[in-house]
Amino acid sequence: MPKTPSITGKTSLVGLIGWPVAHSLSPSMHNAAFAELGLDWAYVPLPVRPDDVAQALKGLAALSFVGANVTVPHKQAVMRYMDELSDSARITGAVNTIHYQNGKFSGYNTDAIGFLNSLKEANCDPQGMRVAVLGAGGAARAVVFALARAGADSITVLNRTAERGAFLVGDLAAAFPNSSLTFEALTPESLAVLDSTVDLVINSTSVGMYPHVEASPWPADVSMPANIIFCDLVYNPLETVFLARARAAGAKTIDGLGMLVHQGAYAFEKWTGQSPSIDVMRQACLSKLKSGNKQVSD
Ligand SMILES: NC(=O)c1ccc[n+]([C@@H]2O[C@H](COP(=O)([O-])OP(=O)(O)OC[C@H]3O[C@@H](n4cnc5c(N)ncnc54)[C@H](OP(=O)(O)O)[C@@H]3O)[C@@H](O)[C@H]2O)c1
């Protein structure tokens, strides 16, 4: 059990802005890492209604918070209040980490670097790889940004809603004119022919996430080739049906917890200037995931 931090007037504060935030893993993950480094810091969930984003940010500044993470539905809404944006936030169109320093808000998207570091940790270097990204929501934008930055040979976005997929590809292609970015409809037929054309498949849809744990973006009657690496951004459950079937087929799999932990670690470094223990953060998440509360989120 992590020690409960003793909070004083000197404690540095960070938190999570979202709606809802009651089931977030982030407070446990960050507080465990603060405790392990002996830092007088605390991380608190901050439920913010959709209409209250501007007031919440003023409140953060007024209350001398060092920063915050941002989750659904506020990742886009906070952007207009930032004094500066990192490339990752500007190009993906979303902020998930805020640092408040010298009276200014800096906005970052640490999902992209978190995703890349989770691949690296799993000994998967996307440079030169042919990659298929399933989904075209906020997480997919961060993943495509990260893959293009890392020098993937080609990136194919497959999405159920064609307009959204085509929009993501058009947007990111403008930011990465030298990358090969294409869009295809997410259908059983398009998945069936992937085996000869890709090295890595990433599920960036929400399909398979609790409570719909029986669902998979990859139909059961389409085989999963053992020569492809399958990665899922969903981490609740830790092993989705998508990953379980890929593993059963003999393929290498990468779950979504690594991305969650590494995006958190990068935010931690921005705020504190120190590197947290990835293992402590992962263990804190795992104990929450195993606690019986199935409703956890970032
Ligand atoms: N591991 C991590 O650190 C991490 C970080 C961020 C997100 N995530 C996870 O990534 C997932 C996506 O998050 P997000 O923020 O990108 O969500 P989002 O913006 O709401 O996008 C959801 C995506 O899933 C697709 N989708 C939803 N239901 C579908 C279905 N029944 N069949 C086919 N496609 C479907 C949507 O397609 P349409 O466009 O057709 O609706 C869209 O592409 C979530 O499970 C989230 O928990 C994990």
Side-chain angles (χ1 to χ4, degrees):
M1 270 302 264
K3 270 201 328 211
T4 307
S6 126
I7 296 174
T8 71
K10 292 188 199 156
T11 305
S12 299
L13 293 172
V14 285
L16 173 67
I17 296 173
W19 186 263
V21 290
H23 300 290
S24 170
L25 294 175
S26 294
S28 304
M29 176 167 84
H30 284 280
N31 287 324
F34 292 145
E36 195 262 339
L37 284 174
L39 296 179
D40 185 11
W41 284 63
Y43 186 111
V44 287
L46 301 165
V48 173
R49 287 188 174 78
D51 289 342
D52 292 339
V53 169
Q55 293 96 311
L57 291 173
K58 278 190 187 156
L60 277 186
L63 295 166
S64 303
F65 271 62
V66 179
N69 282 135
V70 185
T71 189
V72 281
H74 303 321
K75 287 185 181 185
Q76 285 82 34
V78 298
M79 288 186 76
R80 57 194 287 224
Y81 305 105
M82 297 296 109
D83 297 295
E84 52 189 31
L85 290 170
S86 68
D87 279 358
S88 58
R90 189 175 43 77
I91 296 171
T92 60
V95 162
N96 78 336
T97 299
I98 296 171
H99 192 189
Y100 183 64
Q101 240 186 342
N102 306 321
K104 288 192 169 172
F105 285 117
S106 303
Y108 304 90
N109 187 321
T110 70
D111 278 339
I113 183 88
F115 168 71
L116 270 190
N117 285 343
S118 75
L119 291 188
K120 204 193 277 180
E121 188 180 49
N123 294 318
C124 173
D125 179 358
Q127 185 176 21
M129 279 192 176
R130 301 161 303 167
V131 191
V133 177
L134 315 184
R141 289 182 80 89
V143 163
V144 172
F145 171 88
L147 292 168
R149 265 265 162 106
D153 178 64
S154 64
I155 305 166
T156 306
V157 173
L158 299 101
N159 198 48
R160 176 181 63 176
T161 306
E163 297 74 29
R164 202 176 185 191
F167 182 73
L168 186 163
V169 166
D171 222 16
L172 274 286
F176 295 99
N178 298 326
S179 297
S180 163
L181 269 162
T182 49
F183 169 72
E184 280 187 32
L186 178 56
T187 62
E189 293 73 27
S190 58
L191 294 177
V193 296
L194 282 183
D195 60 341
S196 56
T197 56
V198 299
D199 308 299
L200 171 65
V201 175
I202 297 143
N203 176 33
S204 312
T205 76
S206 45
V207 181
M209 184 170 76
Y210 177 85
H212 305 293
V213 297
E214 300 307 324
S216 169
W218 197 283
D221 56 357
V222 177
S223 67
M224 302 183 93
N227 60 327
I228 294 179
I229 301 170
F230 289 89
C231 171
D232 204 333
L233 301 197
V234 173
Y235 52 83
N236 181 24
L238 205 51
E239 186 174 67
T240 55
V241 167
F242 175 73
L243 289 190
R245 285 195 49 231
R247 184 169 56 83
K252 177 181 170 83
T253 62
I254 302 172
D255 67 48
L257 188 57
M259 176 175 173
L260 179 75
V261 168
H262 283 283
Q263 63 77 30
Y266 199 73
F268 187 107
E269 284 178 27
K270 286 270 171 226
W271 298 323
T272 66
Q274 298 201 42
S275 298
S277 160
I278 298 297
D279 192 47
V280 163
M281 292 178 103
R282 179 176 280 106
Q283 288 309 323
C285 292
L286 283 173
S287 67
K288 282 289 250 190
L289 282 166
K290 288 176 186 159
S291 69
N293 177 4
K294 300 265 187 232
Q295 273 185 295
V296 295
S297 62
D298 62 349

